[in-house]
Each structure stands twice: as C-alpha cells, then as structure tokens.
Amino acid sequence: MSSQRPENNLETLRKGFGSPPVDILSSTRIDNKEIRIDASIREIARPLRYAVSIGIRLSSAVLETVQRSPTWTYYYHYRTVNFALDQAALAIAGICQRMGYTALPIPASQVLDWDRLLGHLSHREVGAMAGLGWKGRNNLLVNGKYGSQVRYATILTDMPLPDCGESAPEGGCGECKRCIKVCPVGAIKEDPDDFDLDKCAAQLRRFSKSEKINSLICGLCLRVCGGEKTEKTVTY
Ligand code: SF4
Ligand code: SF4
C-alpha cells in the first residue's frame, strides 16, 4: 500500500485517468461529518473515511432545449452523462485498488427510495463537503464556475485524501432568484432550507407522464443556473 501524502494521492487521481474526462474532481474526509449512507452499503462503507467527488458539466446547448418541459434531447444527454460518470468512478476506483486501497464507486443516478427520491448517498452533499459549491435555492449544488449545470458521482475509499472543503471559499446565491421565477410549481423559495421537495417530485412525475420520458427529470431550474449567470462567481 502506498504511503503517499493525501495531497499527492489526490494529484495521482487527477492525473491518473483521462478517459472519460471529468470537469471537476475534489475530495473530502467523511468520517468527521454527518452523512446519510444507505443501509445497503453502510457496513462496507464504514472503514472508508474519504470520498472523491467528481462532476461532469452538462451541455448548455442541450439545456437550452428545455424551455417549458424536459425534452428527449435532455433525457438522452442526462443518461449519457450519468453513464460517463459511472465509467469515470470505475476508473478512479481502479486506480485506488491498484495502489492497494479499497474503493467503492457509488452509482451516479440510482434511486433506492422512490418516495423521497434518495440514492445510496447524496452526491451533491459530498460535493459540497469537498468544496465544490453550495446548496442553492433550487436544492442543487451550485458550483461557482458552472452553476447547477453539473452532474456528480462519488467514490468512497480508505486512500488518505485532503479535506478540500476546509479551504474552499464561501459561496451563496446572493441576490439571484432566477430559478424561483421558472419553477412551474413554486417549489423554490428564498431560503434553500424551505425548498418544497414534495411539490418538485410531484411535478417530475407529471412531466414523466406528459412528456413520456421514463425518468424523473425537469431541467428548468438547471437551465437558468449556469455559472456565468450566477450572482457570485467563485472558482474552485
Ligand atoms: S439560479 Fe440563482 S438562486 Fe437559483 S440556485 Fe442558481 S444561483 Fe441560486
Ligand atoms: S426541478 Fe423543476 S419542478 Fe423541481 S424545483 Fe426545479 S424547476 Fe421546479
């Protein structure tokens, strides 16, 4: 097992793979933070004290097709990006394993609890811990460079990695309220903690039926939350 410093390990992961590419990669300790991990992987995850958060930016052009409702173009893109994230997570887990560590890639988009729309863990929560952004009014992770237009995946590992969130600059939506105006059901409020998940989930189910898309997606509040349009521009 390698005895490299945490910072060197992170650099190895950043340099260690090129295909498929990710736009952002960071790490965090999770054993010193409160994080929800699904019971199905809780035991295997217990000794894995670190998490790698990876993100792939969505295509702005594809998101422009989402004007009133999710489109098939967006649906296909969403699935493609999730697949690319899973491939990248697999590649990173492989690097960790070859260096003698244990690594558990968490699926980018696998719903385990359909009532509360929960997966194995919250990728956006891990991304925030790794300093990749803040919880936006739209209940998504807002990255200072790319806004909410990023999808994330996570790799849990026992490879020592730096806690990048500790040195991340403070972010926040500031005066921006773009997403509030475009949500068709008023799920987005001024205070991110007041986000109405039930209203949002109900609308995703309606879109799934009305647009005949076999997935719970929307994209309206994503489209207006590109990094260059957000009030605060914080680059990680
Ligand atoms: S659109 Fe503006 S208010 Fe909404 S999440 Fe993005 S930055 Fe925050
Ligand atoms: S995903 Fe759609 S329904 Fe949900 S908060 Fe965003 S705009 Fe509203």
Side-chain angles (χ1 to χ4, degrees), residues 113-160:
D113 177 338
W114 284 94
D115 289 331
R116 293 183 295 157
L117 301 183
L118 297 176
H120 293 89
L121 50 69
S122 166
H123 297 299
R124 66 190 81 160
E125 197 179 19
V126 176
M129 288 174 184
L132 293 177
W134 64 88
K135 181 183 176 185
R137 293 198 163 97
N138 59 2
N139 200 36
L140 297 173
L141 183 64
V142 185
N143 176 264
K145 196 169 174 189
Y146 303 126
S148 301
Q149 298 176 357
V150 179
R151 289 202 55 75
Y152 296 90
T154 305
I155 303 96
L156 301 181
T157 183
D158 55 3
M159 172 194 270

Short mmCIF file of all heavy atoms in Angstrom, two decimals, residues 113-160:
data_model
loop_
_atom_site.label_atom_id
_atom_site.label_comp_id
_atom_site.label_asym_id
_atom_site.label_seq_id
_atom_site.Cartn_x
_atom_site.Cartn_y
_atom_site.Cartn_z
N ASP A 113 -34.99 4.89 -2.86
CA ASP A 113 -36.23 5.25 -2.15
C ASP A 113 -37.02 6.17 -3.08
O ASP A 113 -36.69 7.35 -3.24
CB ASP A 113 -35.85 5.98 -0.84
CG ASP A 113 -37.07 6.46 -0.06
OD1 ASP A 113 -38.15 6.62 -0.67
OD2 ASP A 113 -36.94 6.68 1.16
N TRP A 114 -38.08 5.60 -3.70
CA TRP A 114 -38.81 6.35 -4.71
C TRP A 114 -39.73 7.41 -4.11
O TRP A 114 -40.13 8.34 -4.80
CB TRP A 114 -39.61 5.40 -5.61
CG TRP A 114 -38.69 4.71 -6.57
CD1 TRP A 114 -38.10 3.49 -6.43
CD2 TRP A 114 -38.19 5.25 -7.81
NE1 TRP A 114 -37.26 3.22 -7.49
CE2 TRP A 114 -37.30 4.27 -8.36
CE3 TRP A 114 -38.39 6.44 -8.51
CZ2 TRP A 114 -36.65 4.47 -9.58
CZ3 TRP A 114 -37.73 6.63 -9.71
CH2 TRP A 114 -36.88 5.66 -10.23
N ASP A 115 -40.08 7.28 -2.82
CA ASP A 115 -40.92 8.31 -2.20
C ASP A 115 -40.12 9.58 -1.96
O ASP A 115 -40.56 10.69 -2.25
CB ASP A 115 -41.47 7.81 -0.85
CG ASP A 115 -42.52 6.75 -1.07
OD1 ASP A 115 -43.18 6.81 -2.13
OD2 ASP A 115 -42.67 5.86 -0.22
N ARG A 116 -38.90 9.40 -1.43
CA ARG A 116 -38.08 10.57 -1.10
C ARG A 116 -36.98 10.81 -2.14
O ARG A 116 -36.15 11.69 -1.96
CB ARG A 116 -37.47 10.39 0.29
CG ARG A 116 -38.53 10.41 1.40
CD ARG A 116 -37.91 10.30 2.76
NE ARG A 116 -37.25 9.02 2.96
CZ ARG A 116 -36.28 8.79 3.84
NH1 ARG A 116 -35.86 9.76 4.61
NH2 ARG A 116 -35.74 7.60 3.95
N LEU A 117 -36.99 10.02 -3.22
CA LEU A 117 -36.02 10.15 -4.32
C LEU A 117 -34.58 10.14 -3.80
O LEU A 117 -33.77 11.01 -4.13
CB LEU A 117 -36.29 11.43 -5.12
CG LEU A 117 -37.67 11.55 -5.77
CD1 LEU A 117 -37.77 12.82 -6.59
CD2 LEU A 117 -38.00 10.33 -6.63
N LEU A 118 -34.26 9.13 -2.99
CA LEU A 118 -32.92 9.04 -2.40
C LEU A 118 -32.13 7.90 -3.03
O LEU A 118 -32.67 6.83 -3.34
CB LEU A 118 -33.02 8.78 -0.89
CG LEU A 118 -33.69 9.87 -0.05
CD1 LEU A 118 -33.80 9.42 1.40
CD2 LEU A 118 -32.93 11.18 -0.15
N GLY A 119 -30.82 8.13 -3.20
CA GLY A 119 -29.92 7.09 -3.67
C GLY A 119 -29.08 6.56 -2.51
O GLY A 119 -29.47 6.69 -1.33
N HIS A 120 -27.92 5.97 -2.82
CA HIS A 120 -27.05 5.41 -1.76
C HIS A 120 -26.56 6.50 -0.82
O HIS A 120 -26.39 6.28 0.38
CB HIS A 120 -25.83 4.74 -2.39
CG HIS A 120 -26.16 3.52 -3.19
ND1 HIS A 120 -26.48 3.57 -4.53
CD2 HIS A 120 -26.25 2.22 -2.84
CE1 HIS A 120 -26.72 2.34 -4.96
NE2 HIS A 120 -26.59 1.51 -3.97
N LEU A 121 -26.30 7.65 -1.39
CA LEU A 121 -25.94 8.85 -0.61
C LEU A 121 -26.24 10.05 -1.51
O LEU A 121 -26.63 9.88 -2.67
CB LEU A 121 -24.47 8.83 -0.15
CG LEU A 121 -23.35 8.53 -1.15
CD1 LEU A 121 -23.16 9.64 -2.14
CD2 LEU A 121 -22.05 8.28 -0.40
N SER A 122 -26.06 11.24 -0.96
CA SER A 122 -26.32 12.44 -1.77
C SER A 122 -25.00 12.92 -2.38
O SER A 122 -24.11 13.39 -1.68
CB SER A 122 -26.92 13.54 -0.89
OG SER A 122 -26.86 14.78 -1.57
N HIS A 123 -24.88 12.78 -3.70
CA HIS A 123 -23.65 13.24 -4.38
C HIS A 123 -23.46 14.75 -4.19
O HIS A 123 -22.34 15.23 -4.10
CB HIS A 123 -23.71 12.91 -5.87
CG HIS A 123 -23.78 11.45 -6.16
ND1 HIS A 123 -22.79 10.57 -5.78
CD2 HIS A 123 -24.72 10.69 -6.80
CE1 HIS A 123 -23.10 9.34 -6.18
NE2 HIS A 123 -24.28 9.39 -6.79
N ARG A 124 -24.57 15.47 -4.17
CA ARG A 124 -24.43 16.92 -4.04
C ARG A 124 -23.95 17.29 -2.62
O ARG A 124 -23.18 18.25 -2.46
CB ARG A 124 -25.74 17.64 -4.41
CG ARG A 124 -26.90 17.40 -3.49
CD ARG A 124 -28.20 17.92 -4.04
NE ARG A 124 -28.80 17.00 -4.99
CZ ARG A 124 -30.08 17.00 -5.33
NH1 ARG A 124 -30.89 17.91 -4.86
NH2 ARG A 124 -30.56 16.12 -6.16
N GLU A 125 -24.36 16.48 -1.62
CA GLU A 125 -23.90 16.73 -0.25
C GLU A 125 -22.39 16.48 -0.16
O GLU A 125 -21.65 17.28 0.42
CB GLU A 125 -24.65 15.77 0.68
CG GLU A 125 -24.61 16.13 2.13
CD GLU A 125 -25.42 15.14 2.98
OE1 GLU A 125 -25.70 14.00 2.54
OE2 GLU A 125 -25.75 15.49 4.09
N VAL A 126 -21.93 15.39 -0.77
CA VAL A 126 -20.49 15.09 -0.76
C VAL A 126 -19.72 16.16 -1.53
O VAL A 126 -18.66 16.62 -1.10
CB VAL A 126 -20.21 13.69 -1.36
CG1 VAL A 126 -18.71 13.41 -1.44
CG2 VAL A 126 -20.91 12.60 -0.55
N GLY A 127 -20.29 16.60 -2.66
CA GLY A 127 -19.64 17.66 -3.44
C GLY A 127 -19.48 18.93 -2.63
O GLY A 127 -18.44 19.60 -2.68
N ALA A 128 -20.50 19.27 -1.85
CA ALA A 128 -20.41 20.47 -1.00
C ALA A 128 -19.33 20.29 0.06
O ALA A 128 -18.54 21.21 0.34
CB ALA A 128 -21.77 20.75 -0.35
N MET A 129 -19.25 19.08 0.64
CA MET A 129 -18.21 18.81 1.65
C MET A 129 -16.82 18.93 1.03
O MET A 129 -15.86 19.31 1.70
CB MET A 129 -18.38 17.39 2.21
CG MET A 129 -19.58 17.21 3.11
SD MET A 129 -19.76 15.46 3.55
CE MET A 129 -21.28 15.52 4.49
N ALA A 130 -16.71 18.57 -0.24
CA ALA A 130 -15.41 18.63 -0.94
C ALA A 130 -15.13 20.02 -1.50
O ALA A 130 -14.17 20.21 -2.25
CB ALA A 130 -15.40 17.59 -2.07
N GLY A 131 -15.98 20.98 -1.15
CA GLY A 131 -15.71 22.38 -1.54
C GLY A 131 -16.08 22.72 -2.96
O GLY A 131 -15.60 23.71 -3.51
N LEU A 132 -16.96 21.91 -3.57
CA LEU A 132 -17.29 22.16 -4.98
C LEU A 132 -18.45 23.12 -5.18
O LEU A 132 -18.80 23.43 -6.32
CB LEU A 132 -17.58 20.82 -5.69
CG LEU A 132 -16.36 19.90 -5.81
CD1 LEU A 132 -16.75 18.58 -6.46
CD2 LEU A 132 -15.27 20.58 -6.64
N GLY A 133 -19.08 23.56 -4.13
CA GLY A 133 -20.17 24.51 -4.30
C GLY A 133 -21.02 24.63 -3.05
O GLY A 133 -20.65 24.13 -1.98
N TRP A 134 -22.18 25.27 -3.21
CA TRP A 134 -23.07 25.49 -2.08
C TRP A 134 -24.47 24.99 -2.43
O TRP A 134 -24.81 24.81 -3.59
CB TRP A 134 -23.10 26.97 -1.71
CG TRP A 134 -23.68 27.87 -2.78
CD1 TRP A 134 -25.00 28.20 -2.96
CD2 TRP A 134 -22.96 28.55 -3.82
NE1 TRP A 134 -25.14 29.05 -4.03
CE2 TRP A 134 -23.91 29.27 -4.59
CE3 TRP A 134 -21.61 28.62 -4.18
CZ2 TRP A 134 -23.54 30.05 -5.69
CZ3 TRP A 134 -21.25 29.39 -5.28
CH2 TRP A 134 -22.20 30.10 -6.01
N LYS A 135 -25.28 24.80 -1.37
CA LYS A 135 -26.66 24.36 -1.59
C LYS A 135 -27.47 25.55 -2.10
O LYS A 135 -27.63 26.55 -1.41
CB LYS A 135 -27.25 23.84 -0.28
CG LYS A 135 -28.68 23.35 -0.42
CD LYS A 135 -29.23 22.91 0.94
CE LYS A 135 -30.68 22.52 0.83
NZ LYS A 135 -31.28 22.20 2.13
N GLY A 136 -27.95 25.45 -3.33
CA GLY A 136 -28.66 26.56 -3.94
C GLY A 136 -30.14 26.59 -3.57
O GLY A 136 -30.67 25.66 -2.96
N ARG A 137 -30.80 27.68 -3.97
CA ARG A 137 -32.24 27.79 -3.71
C ARG A 137 -33.01 26.67 -4.41
O ARG A 137 -34.09 26.31 -4.01
CB ARG A 137 -32.75 29.14 -4.21
CG ARG A 137 -32.19 30.31 -3.44
CD ARG A 137 -32.99 31.60 -3.63
NE ARG A 137 -32.64 32.52 -2.58
CZ ARG A 137 -31.74 33.51 -2.71
NH1 ARG A 137 -31.14 33.72 -3.85
NH2 ARG A 137 -31.46 34.29 -1.69
N ASN A 138 -32.43 26.14 -5.50
CA ASN A 138 -33.10 25.07 -6.26
C ASN A 138 -32.81 23.69 -5.71
O ASN A 138 -33.10 22.68 -6.36
CB ASN A 138 -32.70 25.15 -7.74
CG ASN A 138 -31.19 25.00 -7.92
OD1 ASN A 138 -30.46 24.81 -6.94
ND2 ASN A 138 -30.73 25.09 -9.15
N ASN A 139 -32.21 23.61 -4.51
CA ASN A 139 -31.91 22.36 -3.83
C ASN A 139 -30.80 21.57 -4.52
O ASN A 139 -30.61 20.40 -4.24
CB ASN A 139 -33.17 21.47 -3.72
CG ASN A 139 -33.04 20.42 -2.63
OD1 ASN A 139 -32.43 20.66 -1.59
ND2 ASN A 139 -33.58 19.23 -2.88
N LEU A 140 -30.09 22.19 -5.45
CA LEU A 140 -28.97 21.53 -6.12
C LEU A 140 -27.66 22.14 -5.64
O LEU A 140 -27.66 23.21 -5.02
CB LEU A 140 -29.10 21.71 -7.64
CG LEU A 140 -30.35 21.09 -8.27
CD1 LEU A 140 -30.46 21.48 -9.75
CD2 LEU A 140 -30.34 19.57 -8.12
N LEU A 141 -26.57 21.44 -5.94
CA LEU A 141 -25.26 22.00 -5.63
C LEU A 141 -24.93 23.04 -6.70
O LEU A 141 -25.02 22.76 -7.89
CB LEU A 141 -24.21 20.87 -5.66
CG LEU A 141 -22.78 21.25 -5.30
CD1 LEU A 141 -22.69 21.73 -3.86
CD2 LEU A 141 -21.85 20.05 -5.50
N VAL A 142 -24.59 24.24 -6.26
CA VAL A 142 -24.25 25.31 -7.20
C VAL A 142 -22.74 25.51 -7.19
O VAL A 142 -22.17 25.91 -6.17
CB VAL A 142 -24.96 26.63 -6.84
CG1 VAL A 142 -24.67 27.68 -7.92
CG2 VAL A 142 -26.45 26.43 -6.69
N ASN A 143 -22.09 25.20 -8.29
CA ASN A 143 -20.65 25.38 -8.42
C ASN A 143 -20.37 26.80 -8.90
O ASN A 143 -21.08 27.32 -9.77
CB ASN A 143 -20.11 24.35 -9.43
CG ASN A 143 -18.65 24.51 -9.72
OD1 ASN A 143 -18.25 25.14 -10.69
ND2 ASN A 143 -17.82 23.94 -8.87
N GLY A 144 -19.32 27.43 -8.34
CA GLY A 144 -19.04 28.81 -8.68
C GLY A 144 -18.75 29.03 -10.15
O GLY A 144 -19.02 30.11 -10.69
N LYS A 145 -18.23 28.02 -10.84
CA LYS A 145 -17.87 28.17 -12.24
C LYS A 145 -18.99 27.71 -13.18
O LYS A 145 -19.26 28.34 -14.20
CB LYS A 145 -16.60 27.35 -12.51
CG LYS A 145 -15.89 27.69 -13.77
CD LYS A 145 -14.52 26.99 -13.76
CE LYS A 145 -13.80 27.19 -15.07
NZ LYS A 145 -12.60 26.34 -15.13
N TYR A 146 -19.65 26.62 -12.82
CA TYR A 146 -20.62 26.02 -13.74
C TYR A 146 -22.06 26.09 -13.24
O TYR A 146 -22.97 25.54 -13.88
CB TYR A 146 -20.26 24.55 -13.98
CG TYR A 146 -18.87 24.33 -14.53
CD1 TYR A 146 -17.99 23.45 -13.89
CD2 TYR A 146 -18.44 24.98 -15.68
CE1 TYR A 146 -16.72 23.24 -14.39
CE2 TYR A 146 -17.16 24.78 -16.17
CZ TYR A 146 -16.31 23.91 -15.52
OH TYR A 146 -15.04 23.70 -16.02
N GLY A 147 -22.30 26.73 -12.10
CA GLY A 147 -23.65 26.79 -11.56
C GLY A 147 -24.16 25.39 -11.20
O GLY A 147 -23.40 24.54 -10.74
N SER A 148 -25.45 25.17 -11.46
CA SER A 148 -26.05 23.85 -11.17
C SER A 148 -25.91 22.89 -12.34
O SER A 148 -26.41 21.78 -12.28
CB SER A 148 -27.54 23.99 -10.86
OG SER A 148 -27.76 24.83 -9.76
N GLN A 149 -25.25 23.34 -13.41
CA GLN A 149 -25.24 22.54 -14.64
C GLN A 149 -24.14 21.49 -14.64
O GLN A 149 -23.35 21.37 -15.59
CB GLN A 149 -25.15 23.47 -15.85
CG GLN A 149 -26.35 24.39 -15.92
CD GLN A 149 -26.27 25.40 -17.03
OE1 GLN A 149 -25.29 25.48 -17.76
NE2 GLN A 149 -27.33 26.19 -17.19
N VAL A 150 -24.07 20.75 -13.55
CA VAL A 150 -23.07 19.70 -13.39
C VAL A 150 -23.77 18.49 -12.76
O VAL A 150 -24.63 18.64 -11.91
CB VAL A 150 -21.94 20.17 -12.42
CG1 VAL A 150 -20.91 19.06 -12.22
CG2 VAL A 150 -21.27 21.43 -12.92
N ARG A 151 -23.41 17.29 -13.22
CA ARG A 151 -23.88 16.09 -12.54
C ARG A 151 -22.67 15.45 -11.82
O ARG A 151 -21.54 15.57 -12.29
CB ARG A 151 -24.53 15.11 -13.51
CG ARG A 151 -25.88 15.63 -14.00
CD ARG A 151 -26.77 14.52 -14.50
NE ARG A 151 -27.00 13.45 -13.54
CZ ARG A 151 -27.79 13.53 -12.47
NH1 ARG A 151 -28.46 14.64 -12.21
NH2 ARG A 151 -27.92 12.49 -11.66
N TYR A 152 -22.96 14.81 -10.69
CA TYR A 152 -21.88 14.33 -9.82
C TYR A 152 -21.98 12.84 -9.54
O TYR A 152 -23.05 12.24 -9.63
CB TYR A 152 -21.95 15.06 -8.47
CG TYR A 152 -21.71 16.54 -8.56
CD1 TYR A 152 -22.76 17.43 -8.77
CD2 TYR A 152 -20.42 17.07 -8.45
CE1 TYR A 152 -22.54 18.80 -8.88
CE2 TYR A 152 -20.19 18.43 -8.55
CZ TYR A 152 -21.26 19.29 -8.76
OH TYR A 152 -21.03 20.64 -8.87
N ALA A 153 -20.83 12.27 -9.19
CA ALA A 153 -20.79 10.92 -8.64
C ALA A 153 -19.72 10.90 -7.55
O ALA A 153 -18.95 11.86 -7.40
CB ALA A 153 -20.47 9.89 -9.72
N THR A 154 -19.70 9.82 -6.79
CA THR A 154 -18.83 9.74 -5.61
C THR A 154 -18.11 8.39 -5.57
O THR A 154 -18.68 7.38 -5.97
CB THR A 154 -19.69 9.86 -4.32
OG1 THR A 154 -20.46 11.06 -4.38
CG2 THR A 154 -18.84 9.87 -3.06
N ILE A 155 -16.88 8.41 -5.10
CA ILE A 155 -16.15 7.18 -4.84
C ILE A 155 -15.73 7.23 -3.36
O ILE A 155 -15.07 8.19 -2.95
CB ILE A 155 -14.87 7.06 -5.72
CG1 ILE A 155 -15.24 7.14 -7.20
CG2 ILE A 155 -14.14 5.75 -5.44
CD1 ILE A 155 -15.12 8.51 -7.81
N LEU A 156 -16.12 6.24 -2.58
CA LEU A 156 -15.69 6.16 -1.18
C LEU A 156 -14.43 5.31 -1.13
O LEU A 156 -14.32 4.31 -1.85
CB LEU A 156 -16.78 5.53 -0.31
CG LEU A 156 -18.14 6.24 -0.31
CD1 LEU A 156 -19.11 5.52 0.62
CD2 LEU A 156 -18.00 7.70 0.09
N THR A 157 -13.48 5.70 -0.31
CA THR A 157 -12.20 4.98 -0.28
C THR A 157 -11.51 5.13 1.08
O THR A 157 -11.84 6.04 1.85
CB THR A 157 -11.26 5.50 -1.40
OG1 THR A 157 -10.05 4.75 -1.39
CG2 THR A 157 -10.93 6.97 -1.24
N ASP A 158 -10.55 4.24 1.33
CA ASP A 158 -9.70 4.40 2.52
C ASP A 158 -8.35 5.01 2.14
O ASP A 158 -7.44 5.10 2.98
CB ASP A 158 -9.53 3.08 3.29
CG ASP A 158 -8.99 1.95 2.41
OD1 ASP A 158 -8.69 2.19 1.22
OD2 ASP A 158 -8.89 0.81 2.93
N MET A 159 -8.21 5.42 0.89
CA MET A 159 -6.99 6.13 0.48
C MET A 159 -6.98 7.52 1.13
O MET A 159 -7.93 8.30 0.92
CB MET A 159 -6.95 6.29 -1.04
CG MET A 159 -5.82 7.17 -1.53
SD MET A 159 -6.06 7.63 -3.27
CE MET A 159 -5.21 6.28 -4.04
N PRO A 160 -5.98 7.85 1.92
CA PRO A 160 -5.96 9.18 2.55
C PRO A 160 -6.01 10.30 1.52
O PRO A 160 -5.22 10.30 0.56
CB PRO A 160 -4.64 9.19 3.33
CG PRO A 160 -4.33 7.75 3.56
CD PRO A 160 -4.83 7.03 2.34
#
